Structures are given as C-alpha cells and as structure tokens.
Amino acid sequence: MLRESNSNPTQRQAGPRQPDSSRIAGHSSLSEDRPSEQRRDAPTLDWNFFARLSTPGENAAYSLHNGHLAFVDFDLNADRVWGLAPGQAKATTLALLVADVAALKDWLFNLDPATSSHEFRTTLAAPGSTGHSLALKAFPLFISPDPEKTRIAIKAMQTNQSPDSAKAFPVNLNLSSTHDFDGQFKTASLSWADLLGTDIEQVRELNLKHIVVPSDAQRLSDYLAEAKECDSVRSCIVRLQAGPGRVKSVLLSARRNAQHSKLLIEAKNMTVEGNNPAMDLLKTSVELVKESVLLLMRAGPSFRICYANRAFEHMTGYRYSRVAGSSLACLHGPKTNARAILDIEESLQDQSEHNGNILLYRKSGDAFWANAYLTPLRDESGIANYFAVILEDATEVRNVSDELAKKNVELKTALADLKETQKNLIQQESLRALGQMASGIAHDFNNLLAPILGFSELLLTVPKTMQDKGKLTSYLKKIQVAAQDGAAVVSRLREFYRSQNSPEEFIQILPDELLWQVKELTRHRWKNQAEAKGINIDFQMSMSSGRPIMGNEPELRQVFTNLIINAVDAMTHDGGITVSVSDAAEKVRIVIEDSGCGMNEETRQKCLEPFYTTKGKLGTGLGLSIVFGVVQRHHGTFNIESEEGVGTKIIMEFPAVKREIREELDLRENTEMKSLRIMLVDDEEVLLEVISELLASGGHTVDVYGDPNSAIKAFEHKEYDLVITDRAMPLMSGDQLAAAIKHAAPQTPIYMITGFGDMIKDTGEKPEYIDEVLAKPVPLDVLNRKLAEIASQK
C-alpha cells in the first residue's frame, strides 16, 4: 500500500535507532549525523499517498513536517483537528501546539520500528486549540542531517479522552455568515454548525429570529433594523438556541454590503461555560475591550498572528480568518517607517517589551497611526513563544501632534518675521531721524565750508595777505579748524550707520557720556532749526551719576536721540529741555524733560501704541513704541508724566553695574625718527600731493604712484619700508595691491588710508593683507605716531 518515490535520488534510508538521554530531556537535534548503517533499511514513502487518504469532515488529519516540526503540507482537516484558524498551519510548528514537546520529539525521531508503530497521545496547549487530546501516528519519509530537508508524515486523530490539564486561552474562530435583512441565513461557515450542534445545510435554513432566546428577540430585531440602514459595523450580544437545553451567547458584528442587498456578519461565541468560567470570562473581556488585541505565536524564526479580537477587526477591516498565520507585516504599507518595523522585530527576537508609534494600513488602504504595545508571554522555563500585542488608534492624537508641530514651525517663522520687521522698523525710524537731521547737517557743513573757501580765496586773490605772517598763520589755522570740524560732522553721521552693527551686543555704557554725544548730535534740531523758526531752547544737562549700565550703544543712542527730537517738536515757543542722570538705589535714572505742549490723558495712554502719532503726515507713529521696546529689552522701566500745556517728563531706569577699569597703553612718540622709504599709491592727485608733502616733511623718502600696476612693477626693483595705499581705485583695489605685495615681500607693512576707514573699523572688518587702516583725513600727529612705530623696529 505504501509505494516508493524516486523524486529525490539523494534520499537516505534510515534504520532503527534507540533514543538517547538528550532527546529524553527535550534537546534532540535533527541535524545530527546518524551512522549510515542505521539508515540503510528504512522505507522511502511518498507524501501524496497520505494526502489522498484524507476524507473531508473526518475526525483525523494528515500533515507533513520537517525537522523543525513545522508544517510543510497538510490536508483539508488539519486546521480543524489541530485547532487552528484556516490556513494558520502553514505558519506554525508542532512544538508550539503540544504541551509535552520533549516527549513528542523523543517519540517522533525514534526510528525503531517496534517503537515508532505505537501511538503517541498528547494534549493541545496552543492558544489556537480547544484543549482536546490527539492520538498521533508517525511515518518517516526522509531523514536528513539538514532539518529543513527532513520529511515526516503524521496522522492526528481526535480522542474522547478529557485533557489532563486546564484549557489554554481559547481562541474562537469567527462565525462568518451572510443574511437577508430579516436575519435569514444565506451562507454560513462550518463554525456555525459546530456552535449550533447541527450540520451546515440545516444552518442555512435557519433565521436568527427563529433561534434567538425570546427575551432577546426585540434587541435582535432592533439591531437588524439598525444594521440595515448603516454602512458602518454595528455590534450586539444576543443569546441563541443551540439545541435542546443549550444556549450560546454570541457577539454579532454586522454591516450591509456595498450593494445594500444583504448583511455581512462576523460573530464570536461569548458563552461562559461551567467547566472553566474564568477562561471564558477572560475571552469575553478581551473581545469587548475597545483596544485591538492580538496574540502572536512563534513559527520558526518569526512570529505569526494566532488570535485577534473584535476591536482589531473593526480597526483594520481585516477578518481574523484573513490574517491568521500572517505576521504583523500584513498591516504595513508604503509609508510605514522602516525603523519602527525594525524595533518591533528586534523586540520579538530579543523577547523584550516594546512600546512605539507606527503607521499601519487598513484593509481599505487607508493609513492610520497606532500605539503598539508588545509584551512577551513566557513559559515556566522563561521562553516567550507568544507575544500579546495591543494596538491603540493614535491617528487623532498624532494628527493633533503634527498640527501642533506645524503651528510651532509657523509660530517660529512668524517670530522670525516679527524680529526682522522690528529690525526694519528700527532702521526706518533711524532713517527718518537721519532725514530730519539732514537739513541741519547741511547747514553745519555749509557753515564749515564758508571759512575754508573764504580764507583760501583771500590767500589766493590778495597776494599781500601771504606776506603778512600773522594773518597767514591765522587764516591757515581757521581753515584747519573748519576742516577738522567737518570731519567731526562726518563722524557724527557715522553714529547712525553704526546703529545696525551687532544689535545684540551689550557692553558697559556710561549714560552721561552717551547723552553728551547725543546733545551734540541733535544740536542742529534744538538750536539751528529751532532758531530758524524763532524759538529759543535752553538745553540743560545735569549729571550726578558715574555708574555704567549694560546695553547696546547704538540702540540707546537712538532712544535718547528720538526722545530729544520729540521734545524739540513739542516746543512751539521759547522754553527748555533738561536731561539728567542720577542714582536710584541699584539703578541709574535718566530723565528727559521739556516745557512743550504736553499731552492729555488719552494721548498719554496711547502714545506707546504702534502707528499712533499726533504729528500727522510728519510722523510714523513708531518712535515711542520702538523706544519702549528697546528700553524693555535693556531690562529698564519707562514712564511718562505729562500735562497738557505744561510739558512732558520721560523717566527711565536701568540696572547699574560695577564699572570695569581698563588700562590704557601709553604709546610715546620717538623724539628721533629714522627716515623711511615709503611707497604711496592713490588715484587722487591732490591727495598724493598733500600726503606725500606731509610724509616728506618728516624726513621720509616718498615715491608716489597714481596707478597700482605701475606700483607693483616698481616694487619688483626697489625695497620699501612701508606701503600706503587707498582702497577704492580703478583697475585694481587696494586689497588686491596689498595681496600682490605681500606675496612678493610678506614682511613689508602695508597701511590703508581710506574714506571708508571708520566704517571698516565699526563693522569689525579686517582686510586680509592690510596691517593698519587709517580714516581720511588723517591728522599729522596720528600719521607721525604710526610712522614712529615702524621706524622704531628698523
């Protein structure tokens, strides 16, 4: 009856072999090499023979296994006999289904014909079983050192013998069926026949309304009517008559199909049996919780789903029968994070707990976020062949979190935009103040140019003046003073473009010195322009504190300038402005007071609001709001006292700090200066003449060049102690000239005299090949001092 198979010419025959102690202890290995003489006489059988022996519905099943005890193939009865979900056998092993694994292995791999012909009885202990007993018969087909190539056929027969141990956690297979809207069965799974104690043909003739317990009839009727009108899943527990004296509590989960022609029902047995109520109550509880609960079972190197509750089906849209035997990968999709998948796999392999957030996919293809909690379930030896998995739908929480993160980014962007806007507003306010001062500065400059032009014309047009040494000296000194005052005007203008440099830099500042500077800076407003309008303003300064404060000098300069300009604008008649600095406990108090028109209470309350102005088109309404913001940023207080027709007093207080004592270097000029050979390069002929004459007056030899290219050629043939160059020149800049000279003679000092000197220093720029930057016009004493430093090193 058993026929030989020639499908594998490399098959080894097996002979009788007695079990050893390691197998009795449950540690047998199918990869052990067996002596060839022990395998010589074993028959070679064919699995197809056993597969054809199977009869649908009988109480026995045939299955084919490898050396790891995994199911390689099985007949139609295998799932039912072994207590598995449909198709689940392909993802599990015998080692996970029986309670006495060690004894099973010892019996299964004992090839002694006298022993292997005996039955092996075992009790199922897997979550997918119903706790019944099986009688096993083994038929070795091929034994190989490689467990994957080993093949053993097993016949499993259910017995009436009661299991010795209590039931394991029961896993009810879904009761799948379709119904007319009145409850009539149209189709039903075999599990319905098992539940109701009848055959499948009789089940299809039943109606739920006919088998429901009378007291639950109305609940069932209402439930069917609700499910008929709704596309979503509706659930209800009712009791059904399962035969004489037998009642089953069943959880119905129904929804209508896409064509609205019938109801699709997935039901589960929720009956609490008398022989083991604790486990049935546990089963019922798991089915009724809102969280998705899964049970994973080890199947070879991976873990497979062996149980899923009703909430999982509702969450994912998958029936348990569709995912039974699958891994969690069945819920993965195109955007599931690979790191999250790897973390779960590592926890399964390490048999450790895991909590994480992962993007999963429903049967419909819709993605959802889930909080996944994995907990290993260990046996008495500490091995975790099962994992409990709880999935919580976290889509809404994740969406809220993502939305908050998005809003956070938007707020950060808005804050950056606000800071940039504030910076621009401050710049605009500075430019407005600069524009208001432009006419006064032009007035000052014209006043300075008048003596320069006048006295120089007198010297040129009246030759007699040149012969009068007294007048000549007097005129030249006045021209010199006017030119120096002109440089001071330019220096005051520099304070405005410096306001944008290092806005966050806080240094020690002496308020009295800064306010004296601001007084001179605004002189054209409170004196020249005011007098042009026929208004005389008495500007008084009262300084009784020498303590410094920490702050940004350009910003504070703008604050005080703005307040003084506002005070001047408030003066419509003769009056006074008083600026005072005094100590107030641990603070420095600064008060700016005027006797102008003052403010009423409404104006005083609103004057700090952005864009509020009483100057009409002449004001932006940003001045005081920016002033207030700057004072606050300096940890100061800002108060306004004003009375209409009397005047306004601005009171500011800033935290005082301890003054730093800085040692100043004493650089003394050498009384005897060595003569230097100097190269002077500038494209302005007048400046070449003036500077070269100044240098020559000190006894230095000066070669002048108006073209940087000519200077480079000359440098190849001459040696110089110093090179002085302008920055902005045609064809080649001073920086490029310096680079060429340093390349040829790195030790040669190079000075740059430029109209951008102050700007270069204020911005912190340091030209790469320039040793010293001097601002035009350079006073002779400063120039001589620099030359003395070079001469002292010769």
Side-chain angles (χ1 to χ4, degrees):
M1 61 179 182
L2 300 181
R3 64 182 179 87
E4 293 185 355
S5 171
N6 298 319
S7 60
N8 190 343
T10 63
Q11 288 178 328
R12 299 180 182 179
Q13 296 178 336
R17 181 175 55 85
Q18 297 300 321
D20 58 30
S21 58
S22 65
R23 292 182 180 83
I24 294 175
H27 299 290
S28 63
S29 171
L30 295 179
S31 63
E32 296 177 358
D33 287 332
R34 299 177 177 88
S36 59
E37 62 271 20
Q38 291 181 332
R39 298 191 291 265
R40 186 172 299 128
D41 300 325
T44 302
L45 306 177
D46 188 351
W47 158 249
N48 293 327
F49 168 81
F50 296 98
R52 288 196 297 270
L53 292 177
S54 177
T55 302
E58 71 172 322
N59 201 31
Y62 291 90
S63 55
L64 183 65
H65 301 266
N66 63 16
H68 294 302
L69 305 186
F71 285 83
V72 176
D73 205 348
F74 43 87
D75 64 10
L76 297 176
N77 298 324
D79 288 330
R80 179 172 53 82
V81 171
W82 285 99
L84 301 172
Q88 188 178 350
K90 62 184 179 182
T92 189
T93 70
L94 294 181
L96 300 177
L97 299 180
V98 301
D100 43 357
V101 179
L104 173 66
K105 288 183 177 180
D106 183 62
W107 168 80
L108 193 60
F109 300 119
N110 184 352
L111 301 183
D112 183 354
T115 303
S116 60
S117 62
H118 296 165
E119 285 186 349
F120 179 83
R121 291 184 176 271
T122 185
T123 300
L124 294 184
S129 74
T130 56
H132 54 252
S133 297
L134 294 178
L136 306 181
K137 292 282 289 183
F139 305 92
L141 303 183
F142 175 56
I143 303 299
S144 170
D146 183 356
E148 292 293 336
K149 296 180 181 179
T150 293
R151 294 293 184 267
I152 300 176
I154 292 180
K155 179 181 179 181
M157 296 163 288
Q158 293 183 354
T159 68
N160 295 325
Q161 178 182 348
S162 300
D164 297 330
S165 58
K167 289 183 179 180
F169 185 88
V171 178
N172 280 315
L173 301 182
N174 284 20
L175 303 163
S176 302
S177 56
T178 59
H179 299 256
D180 291 330
F181 289 117
D182 65 351
Q184 179 66 44
F185 277 92
K186 295 172 68 68
T187 63
S189 63
L190 288 173
S191 52
W192 272 106
D194 292 339
L195 177 76
L196 299 176
T198 184
D199 60 56
I200 191 62
E201 296 301 328
Q202 289 179 328
V203 171
R204 293 168 184 165
E205 297 175 358
L206 298 175
N207 188 307
L208 289 174
K209 291 182 178 180
H210 297 158
I211 60 176
V212 68
V213 172
S215 59
D216 289 349
Q218 187 60 49
R219 182 189 302 129
L220 175 65
S221 179
D222 294 342
Y223 169 70
L224 293 175
E226 182 183 4
K228 177 182 178 181
E229 302 299 329
C230 187
D231 288 326
S232 61
V233 176
R234 288 291 184 267
S235 298
C236 177
I237 294 180
V238 296
R239 291 171 294 164
L240 301 178
Q241 300 280 359
R246 296 174 61 241
V247 176
K248 298 290 184 181
S249 293
V250 179
L251 172 65
L252 302 177
S253 296
R255 63 178 177 85
R256 64 186 182 183
N257 66 347
Q259 294 76 29
H260 298 179
S261 60
K262 59 184 176 181
L263 287 179
L264 308 178
I265 290 182
E266 291 289 328
K268 289 190 176 181
N269 182 9
M270 310 295 286
T271 308
V272 179
E273 304 288 358
N275 58 346
N276 198 343
M279 295 309 300
D280 288 336
L281 287 172
L282 177 60
K283 171 194 68 176
T284 302
S285 300
V286 172
E287 289 297 334
L288 294 179
V289 296
K290 295 182 179 180
E291 290 80 11
S292 295
V293 178
L294 297 172
L295 198 61
L296 303 182
M297 179 174 62
R298 184 185 296 279
S302 62
F303 281 82
R304 304 288 175 166
I305 298 172
C306 65
Y307 171 77
N309 70 344
R310 175 182 65 100
F312 170 83
E313 296 176 333
H314 291 178
M315 174 187 285
T316 65
Y318 286 108
R319 296 180 183 179
Y320 166 61
S321 58
R322 291 291 301 274
V323 298
S326 302
S327 69
L328 289 177
C330 66
L331 301 177
H332 297 167
K335 293 185 179 179
T336 302
N337 185 273
R339 180 68 256 179
I341 296 174
L342 184 59
D343 288 344
I344 290 177
E345 288 299 324
E346 289 179 349
S347 295
L348 292 173
Q349 297 305 318
D350 297 342
Q351 300 188 6
S352 59
E353 292 185 357
H354 172 80
N355 297 332
N357 192 253
I358 187 171
L359 184 68
L360 302 176
Y361 286 78
R362 309 184 202 276
K363 182 181 178 182
S364 62
D366 297 333
F368 70 99
W369 285 99
N371 293 326
Y373 304 93
L374 280 73
T375 302
L377 306 177
R378 306 184 187 278
D379 58 22
E380 59 185 10
S381 63
I383 303 300
N385 289 318
Y386 299 93
F387 263 83
V389 181
I390 297 177
L391 298 178
E392 293 180 347
D393 193 333
T395 304
E396 184 176 352
V397 174
R398 182 62 181 250
N399 289 341
V400 171
S401 177
D402 290 345
E403 188 65 24
L404 287 175
K406 180 180 177 182
K407 293 297 183 184
N408 190 38
V409 172
E410 292 176 355
L411 286 173
K412 287 183 178 179
T413 303
L415 180 60
D417 292 342
L418 284 173
K419 287 184 177 181
E420 184 65 24
T421 301
Q422 182 188 36
K423 179 180 177 181
N424 292 335
L425 289 175
I426 292 175
Q427 184 178 22
Q428 290 175 13
E429 193 64 20
S430 296
L431 292 175
R432 185 181 74 86
L434 183 59
Q436 290 180 344
M437 296 173 64
S439 59
I441 291 173
H443 175 270
D444 291 346
F445 231 94
N446 288 333
N447 286 344
L448 295 172
L449 290 175
I452 294 175
L453 291 173
F455 289 125
S456 61
E457 286 178 352
L458 281 174
L459 293 174
L460 293 173
T461 59
V462 183
K464 293 181 180 180
T465 310
M466 300 288 290
Q467 298 174 2
D468 189 335
K469 273 193 171 184
K471 285 187 177 182
L472 176 61
T473 302
S474 175
Y475 291 170
L476 290 176
K477 283 186 177 180
K478 289 176 180 177
I479 291 173
Q480 182 186 36
V481 170
Q484 290 174 344
D485 289 346
V489 171
V490 174
S491 178
R492 290 205 304 271
L493 283 174
R494 200 177 83 237
E495 303 301 331
F496 278 89
Y497 68 69
R498 265 180 37 182
S499 64
Q500 299 307 314
N501 298 337
S502 303
E504 302 297 329
E505 182 182 357
F506 276 43
I507 60 174
Q508 279 200 7
I509 297 171
L510 290 172
D512 52 349
E513 293 182 358
L514 186 59
L515 284 164
W516 278 108
Q517 183 187 89
V518 171
K519 178 184 178 182
E520 293 304 314
L521 190 64
T522 58
R523 178 179 291 275
H524 66 287
R525 287 297 304 273
W526 57 265
K527 182 172 177 58
N528 300 336
Q529 291 185 11
E531 290 176 354
K533 296 178 182 179
I535 301 174
N536 294 312
I537 298 177
D538 182 21
F539 200 121
Q540 297 292 328
M541 302 280 284
S542 175
M543 306 297 174
S544 59
S545 173
R547 294 195 295 176
I549 62 175
M550 295 299 295
N552 180 286
E553 184 175 341
E555 288 186 358
L556 289 177
R557 183 184 300 108
Q558 181 190 334
V559 165
F560 301 146
T561 299
N562 208 319
L563 293 176
I564 289 175
I565 289 176
N566 283 349
V568 173
D569 291 341
M571 306 286 287
T572 57
H573 50 76
D574 292 353
I577 295 176
T578 302
V579 177
S580 63
V581 180
S582 60
D583 292 330
E586 299 301 320
K587 296 182 178 182
V588 174
R589 177 178 295 170
I590 300 172
V591 179
I592 299 177
E593 186 176 5
D594 66 72
S595 59
C597 60
M599 294 181 283
N600 58 31
E601 185 60 22
E602 179 184 1
T603 301
R604 192 185 72 83
Q605 292 289 342
K606 294 183 177 180
C607 65
L608 295 180
E609 296 178 5
F611 307 109
Y612 179 82
T613 180
T614 59
K615 299 180 183 179
K617 295 182 179 180
L618 298 178
T620 64
L622 295 173
L624 281 180
S625 63
I626 291 178
V627 165
F628 180 67
V630 172
V631 172
Q632 279 193 322
R633 203 167 71 85
H634 284 72
H635 308 291
T637 60
F638 187 89
N639 294 299
I640 300 176
E641 297 178 1
S642 185
E643 185 177 347
E644 193 170 10
V646 176
T648 300
K649 179 188 291 187
I650 306 294
I651 305 170
M652 295 166 285
E653 291 185 352
F654 299 90
V657 296
K658 186 176 180 181
R659 186 170 184 175
E660 293 180 356
I661 306 298
R662 297 181 180 178
E663 296 182 0
E664 297 186 359
L665 297 176
D666 183 17
L667 298 177
R668 300 177 180 178
E669 299 182 2
N670 295 333
T671 54
E672 296 183 3
M673 187 186 304
K674 297 180 180 179
S675 176
L676 302 175
R677 178 176 289 276
I678 302 173
M679 170 183 281
L680 179 63
V681 186
D682 201 309
D683 60 320
E684 295 289 341
E685 294 185 4
V686 175
L687 291 176
L688 276 177
E689 182 180 0
V690 170
I691 297 176
S692 63
E693 288 295 333
L694 288 174
L695 294 172
S697 67
H700 306 291
T701 302
V702 184
D703 292 341
V704 297
Y705 298 92
D707 176 17
N709 289 314
S710 301
I712 291 176
K713 292 180 181 179
F715 193 83
E716 295 175 355
H717 306 288
K718 293 183 180 181
E719 292 185 0
Y720 291 94
D721 300 315
L722 174 65
V723 175
I724 299 177
T725 179
D726 189 13
R727 187 174 215 184
M729 296 182 292
L731 302 179
M732 182 183 295
S733 68
D735 297 86
Q736 293 172 320
L737 172 65
I741 291 176
K742 286 288 188 181
H743 182 72
Q747 302 304 320
T748 303
I750 301 177
Y751 284 5
M752 179 177 285
I753 300 179
T754 173
F756 302 112
D758 289 329
M759 185 180 296
I760 291 173
K761 291 180 179 179
D762 291 335
T763 57
E765 179 186 359
K766 189 179 186 304
E768 184 176 359
Y769 299 103
I770 302 299
D771 297 291
E772 188 74 41
V773 177
L774 302 175
K776 293 179 181 178
V778 183
L780 182 59
D781 60 336
V782 173
L783 185 59
N784 285 335
R785 189 174 184 180
K786 294 296 181 182
L787 296 176
E789 292 176 1
I790 296 176
S792 64
Q793 300 173 6
K794 296 296 180 181

